[in-house]
Amino acid sequence: MSNATTSVPSGLDAGGLDQLSPDVRSYWQMVGFRLRHDPVTLFFGAVILFVILAAIFAPLIAPKDPTLTSMIDRLKPIGYKDYLLGTDELGRDMTSRLIWGARSSLLMGLMPVVFALLIGGALGVIAGYVGGKTNMVIMRIMDVFYAFPSILLAVAISGAMGGGMLNGLISLTIVFIPPMCRIAETATTQVRGLDFVEAARATGGGTGSIIVTHILGNVLAPVFVYASGMVSVSILLASGLSFLGLGVAPPTPDWGLMLSTLRQAIYMNPIVCALPGVAILITSLSFNMVSDGLRQAMDVKL
Amino acid sequence: MVTKEKSADTKARAPSVEVVPPGDPRDRGGPAQPMFMVRDLKKHFPVRGGALNRTVAKVLAVDGVSFEVVKGETLGIVGESGCGKSTLARLLMHLIDITDGELIFDGEEVGVRNGIAMRDFRKAAQMVFQDSYSSLNPRLPVEDSIAYGPRVHGMSKKEAKNLARELLGKVGLRPEVFGPRYPHELSGGQKQRVNIARALAMSPRLVILDEAVSALDKSVEAQVLNLLRHLKRHFNLTYVFISHDLNVVQYISDRVLVMYLGEVVEIGPVDEIYAKPKHPYTRALLKSRLSMDPDERMDEAPITGDPPNPINPPSGCRFHTRCQFAETLCKTVAPKLPEGARPSDHVTACHMYNQTAGHSLFGKVPPAFETPVAEPASSARVAAKA
Amino acid sequence: MLNYILRRVAYAIPISLGVTIFCFALVYLAPGDPLTRLLPDDATAETIALIKAAYGFDKPIPIQYLNWLGRALTGDLGQSIQTNRAVADEVLIALGNTIIISTAAVILAFTLAFVMGTVAAYYNGGVADRVATSVSVLGVSIPNYWFGIVLIIIFAVNLRWLPATGMGPGGSEGFSIWEWSSVKFAILPVLTMAMVPIGIIMRSTRSAVSEVLSQDFVQTLRAKGMGEAAVLRHAVRNALPGVLAVMGLQFGYLMGGSILIETIFTWPGTGSLLNQAILNRDIPVLQGTILVLALIFVMTNLAVDILQTAVDPRIKRG
């Protein structure tokens, strides 16, 4: 026992050879590393970036005014005159309308998910951490909304409240709150039972402090991955609402709305009529692929 | 020994870590007052079932446990897995609600309004969890995990970080190398050192170690055990050491408490319990130890079957279903630990040692071991001697 | 087991009640006086008074809800503003038409997706796997109503093989699943509808089968000299209950989510009914249809859960 009396007893130094490698990698650094080496995710991430840039700089990029009609140049095919992608049923330039349409489609894809992430995520973390009756009340209410297929719920709320972008935004947010809440609740419940949370409680940490320091960091990954997948669903639902006349009102260029109005013209110019759908497909596919890549990089099992 | 320790320490010591002299200013009741008194502690978990999800049964995880922890000692708690050891650890830390009973920390009751404030209690008592993948927050550098407790108690970010690094040094990890690391970059033994540092960051007086070395390799286990012994002296700590490993408990403990199905069956000084175990359960446990000495090896399993279900524990003495000395009396009357025993006494809850109970073997219990029990050839002991 | 079923049924009751509360509240979500939402614009003062008394708009909201619920339970979902017919009748007829295409779509999707998913799992990482995975990602990324338009463009506009819209000359009364003259109208809607479930069922088949194939007992079977076909049969049998459950849930989604596809193909199901109700702001029809669809969804989920527990004893639920 004599050697145990020095301050760090010899032989108790646990570093060993390990001390030679000083590079430290946090979880998020690892995620970044994996993403940088995943060409597929990078590619689709670039596509999303491209769409976002197009949406932001639409006034600069779009060759024509997206609302400028022309009675002579209606439903012209791809490459007609200087209409790169043809014209729609009112003779408006499809290229410009598709570029401008990225704005409302992205907005309706991202905003509901962001709001639902904040509201549903917060509810889920509270339900998961507090547990007991709080959990029961929150989760049972969520279950009621789970009793509707998502498109039906969106149509019900939008249909009752009437069309318009704001109503569409509200109804889609309500659609995404329950799944977001459930994911956050599941993740939180799992983390809450882990020893390091008990250890934090044992050191006297309060609920708020423990949630911020120990829960959020561990819940973020699954919730974030799930939310990224929801963006694709949100884009599809939003364009669906617009298609039904429950989303963005004309003449605002919106991919779903464009599909709806061009539908009458499929006998005359089918290719041009299909274009907004291609734009929706590319965007939603890109978000799905990036979500998949994130899930792998973050090592999340949903 | 004290002077030697001091001279070696001067370099490493910084003002933020208290090295507590024998007359600890935090001490309230003097050495005679127990550090921790546990009175009739109970924890019953409801079992839900049926169509309406009602409580249909109770798991008696901890059922009427009483003991004292003397200041400065190491009290070992042993028992099979599922006997309620880990529940007891969490109850002692007040991490789960107590069904019934009292916890008195240095004269002040825990978890009541006019007792010790929970905030103060959680500084004075700390817990080291079993090393597992979940004992450290995977998203935080380990120094942040250590600094979390002091931060919660109002220490500045910088101070807390300095303290964390200093404690890393105390537990044998180079601060500048290991501080910024994440748990997945550490080995099991290193993580367990971090866990210990995290507990020490609160300058506790009592540390509850729940299977703190059980998941480690034997060689690493020995290192960590020696570290724990060293830290105990250095920081003037009192330990409650919970483990299923009899050798480890023998090595580190001053006194030992044996649990069976949520109850205390025997408690006493370590040497007495290991040399002359009284309760048939303790005897069986000790006999079942693996031994390096061929003469010590058992030919038959001294205890048979799995422990009974704690939802419906056996009537009378809970051990009677597996006890070779059981009589009708044992099936009906539950034996109790003798009241008024001092911490230095070796007592058991068994009718065979109670004159008034009426067990036929009173005074005639055959000795547990033919010869005095040999020193365990555990790696811990070997490493300690090396 | 019986306990679980009872508990699961008991659990569905508050959910269903919640659904009715939500549907009842839809009237109040609509802008303006709820009364005007329930009445045609040219309603006489007499009708207004009648409706007002019948719906009890003078009473407190909880009482209104209970009255409404009581009527709904006896099958009275109110009257359509547009057609003046009972909502329950309209929903019932539409429901039959939706069931026709949802059932066909889910059977088609299951057949295709299960085969493709199994093949993908068996040739894990191979070409077939990649194709299957791509198809399943496409299936969930594609705006299915757009896919419907593309199908119309190809098969109705260009090739002229199939009719673009409608249900045939006889409408829903004249429709028979045994006659080509009827069935051809259903083909494009069914194909479109099957797109999403194909993606989802394939994904779950792939993961279920490959999970079974990676288990130890499969190695044992191979070691015992069992042929690959037999091994695969084993894997499929083990994966089937879980995939069937996914299929059941998908059926519920199709039933409730048919609005876009039915609108594209003007298929006279619940989706078209909903769309009409939205266009005409016919709130009683909207409310009634959504209530029925949501309750069907709840019941489907319940049935799937119970059947799965019955079929697969491995699923133990406390």
Side-chain angles (χ1 to χ4, degrees):
Chain A
M1 284 316 295
S2 60
N3 59 359
T5 50
T6 52
S7 86
V8 175
S10 60
L12 293 193
D13 184 80
L17 291 172
D18 226 12
Q19 300 202 338
L20 295 174
S21 61
D23 66 317
V24 170
R25 246 191 228 157
S26 79
Y27 170 74
W28 295 105
Q29 284 167 317
M30 277 198 302
V31 170
F33 177 84
R34 288 194 198 123
L35 282 179
R36 278 197 299 281
H37 292 79
D38 179 356
V40 177
T41 306
L42 285 182
F43 171 77
F44 284 102
V47 173
I48 292 175
L49 194 69
F50 178 77
V51 177
I52 291 175
L53 288 177
I56 294 174
F57 297 109
L60 301 176
I61 306 169
K64 290 183 167 28
D65 180 349
T67 52
L68 188 72
T69 57
S70 162
M71 292 312 274
I72 321 158
D73 291 336
R74 283 189 301 172
L75 290 167
K76 293 300 177 196
I78 289 177
Y80 176 80
K81 283 204 274 186
D82 55 344
Y83 299 109
L84 195 62
L85 295 174
T87 60
D88 72 358
E89 79 285 356
L90 294 174
R92 294 174 292 199
D93 179 37
M94 281 298 284
T95 319
S96 306
R97 286 185 69 73
L98 284 174
I99 292 173
W100 279 87
R103 289 193 154 190
S104 67
S105 298
L106 275 183
L107 202 68
M108 293 292 277
L110 288 169
M111 295 312 277
V113 176
V114 171
F115 290 141
L117 177 72
L118 294 176
I119 302 170
L123 283 173
V125 169
I126 292 170
Y129 189 77
V130 179
K133 287 215 170 67
T134 314
N135 177 295
M136 212 192 74
V137 170
I138 294 178
M139 296 321 287
R140 285 306 86 83
I141 292 175
M142 293 301 148
D143 282 349
V144 171
F145 288 96
Y146 252 98
F148 297 87
S150 47
I151 180 75
L152 185 67
L153 186 58
V155 164
I157 300 170
S158 282
M161 291 198 304
M165 199 155 181
L166 182 67
N167 284 352
L169 210 66
I170 292 172
S171 72
L172 287 182
T173 304
I174 295 176
V175 167
F176 292 123
I177 286 175
M180 228 53 106
C181 179
R182 195 177 271 191
I183 289 284
E185 192 254 358
T186 311
T188 308
T189 311
Q190 279 166 1
V191 174
R192 185 185 67 152
L194 300 182
D195 282 348
F196 67 81
V197 177
E198 287 222 299
R201 289 208 294 134
T203 50
T207 305
S209 146
I210 290 177
I211 287 179
V212 170
T213 316
H214 294 290
I215 303 278
L216 285 187
N218 288 286
V219 169
L220 208 60
V223 172
F224 189 69
V225 167
Y226 191 78
S228 68
M230 283 293 106
V231 174
S232 153
V233 180
S234 183
I235 288 173
L236 291 182
L237 285 182
S239 66
L241 285 182
S242 300
F243 184 82
L244 293 171
L246 287 173
V248 180
T252 314
D254 174 273
W255 295 340
L257 193 62
M258 288 162 75
L259 263 185
S260 161
T261 50
L262 282 166
R263 185 158 57 107
Q264 320 304 331
I266 49 172
Y267 289 93
M268 281 176 278
N269 196 340
I271 305 278
V272 170
C273 295
L275 283 177
V278 176
I280 299 172
L281 172 61
I282 289 174
T283 317
S284 118
L285 180 70
S286 300
F287 274 104
N288 257 332
M289 295 304 288
V290 168
S291 173
D292 260 17
L294 283 177
R295 192 178 65 221
Q296 268 163 25
M298 294 188 182
D299 196 19
V300 168
K301 290 178 188 71
L302 288 176
Chain B
M1 247 166 84
V2 173
T3 48
K4 227 168 142 190
E5 182 173 337
K6 272 197 170 168
S7 64
D9 262 348
T10 32
K11 273 178 291 170
R13 200 189 308 160
S16 50
V17 174
E18 304 166 61
V19 177
V20 185
D24 191 334
R26 297 170 301 181
D27 194 10
R28 292 162 47 87
Q33 174 158 298
M35 178 67 84
F36 211 24
M37 270 168 80
V38 179
R39 284 207 196 120
D40 205 18
L41 195 62
K42 284 182 186 159
K43 180 66 188 178
H44 298 170
F45 292 106
V47 180
R48 292 177 189 282
L52 294 171
N53 225 20
R54 274 186 302 219
T55 305
V56 290
K58 283 186 287 189
V59 178
L60 311 176
V62 171
D63 199 25
V65 166
S66 303
F67 61 91
E68 291 176 4
V69 185
V70 179
K71 278 174 188 159
E73 76 164 343
T74 298
L75 174 68
I77 298 183
V78 287
E80 286 166 293
S81 48
C83 73
K85 298 188 304 274
S86 277
T87 308
L88 180 63
R90 279 157 178 76
L91 285 176
L92 295 182
M93 283 304 295
H94 232 277
L95 286 172
I96 48 181
D97 288 333
I98 291 172
T99 306
D100 198 15
E102 284 179 342
L103 294 172
I104 295 157
F105 186 83
D106 202 2
E108 288 182 290
E109 191 168 353
V110 181
V112 295
R113 198 173 302 162
N114 48 10
I116 183 170
M118 193 49 79
R119 218 179 149 72
D120 294 335
F121 173 67
R122 290 206 166 141
K123 275 189 75 156
Q126 276 296 299
M127 180 160 172
V128 175
F129 294 80
Q130 178 168 7
D131 162 59
S132 66
Y133 76 101
S134 72
S135 59
L136 288 167
N137 187 340
R139 301 283 185 270
L140 286 187
V142 295
E143 61 189 4
D144 290 0
S145 278
I146 300 171
Y148 175 76
R151 293 272 295 132
V152 166
H153 286 266
M155 196 181 273
S156 78
K157 204 167 188 167
K158 198 160 169 253
E159 268 182 289
K161 189 161 189 155
N162 286 338
L163 173 66
R165 293 212 157 188
E166 196 188 319
L167 284 166
L168 278 173
K170 295 270 183 210
V171 297
L173 294 173
R174 240 179 261 174
E176 64 281 6
V177 176
F178 286 94
R181 286 205 180 178
Y182 288 83
H184 67 88
E185 298 170 311
L186 267 53
S187 70
Q190 290 166 347
K191 269 190 269 188
Q192 205 53 7
R193 286 165 189 262
V194 173
N195 279 333
I196 293 166
R198 173 174 56 194
L200 294 179
M202 309 302 295
S203 320
R205 301 175 62 197
L206 173 73
V207 179
I208 293 161
L209 300 125
D210 181 20
E211 301 279 10
V213 296
S214 305
L216 304 176
D217 289 344
K218 279 290 160 194
S219 61
V220 180
E221 179 185 273
Q223 290 176 13
V224 174
L225 282 175
N226 283 341
L227 174 71
L228 284 171
R229 285 192 134 184
H230 164 73
L231 293 169
K232 182 175 172 234
R233 264 197 315 280
H234 189 79
F235 291 102
N236 194 18
L237 301 168
T238 302
Y239 283 159
V240 173
F241 191 94
I242 298 173
S243 177
H244 66 272
D245 186 329
L246 294 156
N247 292 334
V248 168
V249 168
Q250 181 179 17
Y251 172 67
I252 199 144
S253 307
D254 300 311
R255 289 195 307 134
V256 175
L257 181 156
V258 184
M259 273 185 88
Y260 183 74
L261 279 186
E263 290 182 337
V264 179
V265 295
E266 187 162 358
I267 183 168
V270 62
D271 294 338
E272 285 197 38
I273 292 220
Y274 276 72
K276 282 178 251 160
K278 290 182 172 174
H279 197 282
Y281 176 62
T282 317
R283 300 156 68 106
L285 268 188
L286 288 172
K287 282 186 178 181
S288 69
R289 274 203 292 184
L290 287 175
S291 176
M292 297 292 281
D293 181 356
D295 297 334
E296 282 285 320
R297 284 191 194 144
M298 300 293 305
D299 293 333
E300 56 190 300
I303 188 165
T304 52
D306 287 329
N309 191 342
I311 294 177
N312 285 311
S315 62
C317 173
R318 290 191 180 171
F319 188 63
H320 83 251
T321 53
R322 298 160 89 189
C323 180
Q324 56 173 322
F325 308 114
E327 295 181 353
T328 329
L329 163 76
C330 303
K331 291 174 188 162
T332 49
V333 182
K336 297 226 162 17
L337 282 170
E339 284 184 24
R342 287 164 300 159
S344 58
D345 292 342
H346 177 192
V347 291
T348 180
C350 176
H351 292 314
M352 295 197 295
Y353 298 89
N354 183 354
Q355 193 162 12
T356 52
H359 195 286
S360 65
L361 281 175
F362 175 75
K364 293 179 275 188
V365 191
F369 302 104
E370 298 301 328
T371 49
V373 67
E375 286 277 285
S378 87
S379 54
R381 186 54 63 111
V382 172
K385 282 175 178 164
Chain C
M1 172 70 191
L2 185 69
N3 257 339
Y4 171 72
I5 292 175
L6 285 177
R7 195 130 34 90
R8 188 62 186 77
V9 172
Y11 169 76
I13 292 170
I15 301 294
S16 307
L17 275 179
V19 166
T20 61
I21 292 176
F22 175 85
C23 290
F24 173 75
L26 282 179
V27 178
Y28 293 87
L29 270 183
D33 181 4
L35 183 59
T36 61
R37 299 268 133 253
L38 295 169
L39 289 169
D41 293 335
D42 54 352
T44 59
E46 204 177 319
T47 340
I48 293 177
L50 208 73
I51 295 283
K52 202 169 184 169
Y55 276 75
F57 275 122
D58 42 348
K59 300 202 179 71
I61 289 180
I63 303 289
Q64 289 181 38
Y65 166 69
L66 288 179
N67 285 339
W68 174 81
L69 182 64
R71 284 196 307 275
L73 284 177
T74 56
D76 176 10
L77 295 172
Q79 268 191 336
S80 162
I81 295 170
Q82 199 64 24
T83 62
N84 270 336
R85 291 169 57 191
V87 173
D89 295 345
E90 298 229 11
V91 174
L92 216 59
I93 294 169
L95 201 58
N97 295 338
T98 301
I99 287 175
I100 293 174
I101 50 170
S102 327
T103 312
V106 87
I107 291 173
L108 173 73
F110 177 78
T111 319
L112 282 177
F114 195 78
V115 173
M116 284 165 77
T118 309
V119 171
Y122 192 75
Y123 297 105
N124 198 336
V127 180
D129 189 14
R130 287 199 198 150
V131 170
T133 315
S134 312
V135 170
S136 76
V137 175
L138 266 181
V140 293
S141 304
I142 213 164
N144 56 6
Y145 53 98
W146 171 78
F147 182 68
I149 295 178
V150 171
L151 287 183
I152 292 177
I153 292 172
I154 297 172
F155 292 102
V157 179
N158 287 344
L159 299 173
R160 293 176 189 278
W161 288 353
L162 295 163
T165 56
M167 210 179 168
S172 51
E173 282 100 61
F175 190 87
S176 160
I177 53 167
W178 309 115
E179 280 171 48
W180 172 245
S181 61
S182 295
V183 169
K184 65 180 181 185
F185 283 89
I187 289 178
L188 291 184
V190 167
L191 276 179
T192 312
M193 223 180 199
M195 216 33 212
V196 174
I198 282 179
I200 289 170
I201 296 175
M202 184 144 62
R203 198 181 276 190
S204 60
T205 309
R206 188 188 169 280
S207 72
V209 173
S210 61
E211 199 200 313
V212 177
L213 283 177
S214 69
Q215 275 170 11
D216 289 343
F217 84 89
V218 175
Q219 289 303 318
T220 316
L221 292 180
R222 283 190 174 133
K224 277 162 56 179
M226 188 180 259
E228 284 304 293
V231 166
L232 200 57
R233 200 157 51 234
H234 241 93
V236 165
R237 201 180 303 152
N238 273 281
L240 199 58
V243 179
L244 280 175
V246 173
M247 174 182 135
L249 295 180
Q250 283 303 308
F251 177 72
Y253 278 111
L254 291 187
M255 286 291 300
S258 62
I259 178 165
L260 286 163
I261 290 165
E262 289 186 6
T263 305
I264 296 277
F265 292 101
T266 50
W267 183 266
T270 46
S272 288
L273 193 63
L274 269 182
N275 192 31
Q276 289 301 313
I278 290 165
L279 291 177
N280 303 323
R281 302 220 38 83
D282 193 342
I283 296 292
V285 175
L286 183 78
Q287 191 184 38
T289 317
I290 286 172
L291 176 66
V292 171
L293 290 179
L295 288 180
I296 288 178
F297 191 60
V298 173
M299 293 308 147
T300 322
N301 288 0
L302 175 67
V304 166
D305 262 16
I306 290 176
L307 281 178
Q308 205 185 4
T309 327
V311 168
D312 193 346
R314 285 175 306 177
I315 301 169
K316 280 217 180 80
R317 285 156 190 187

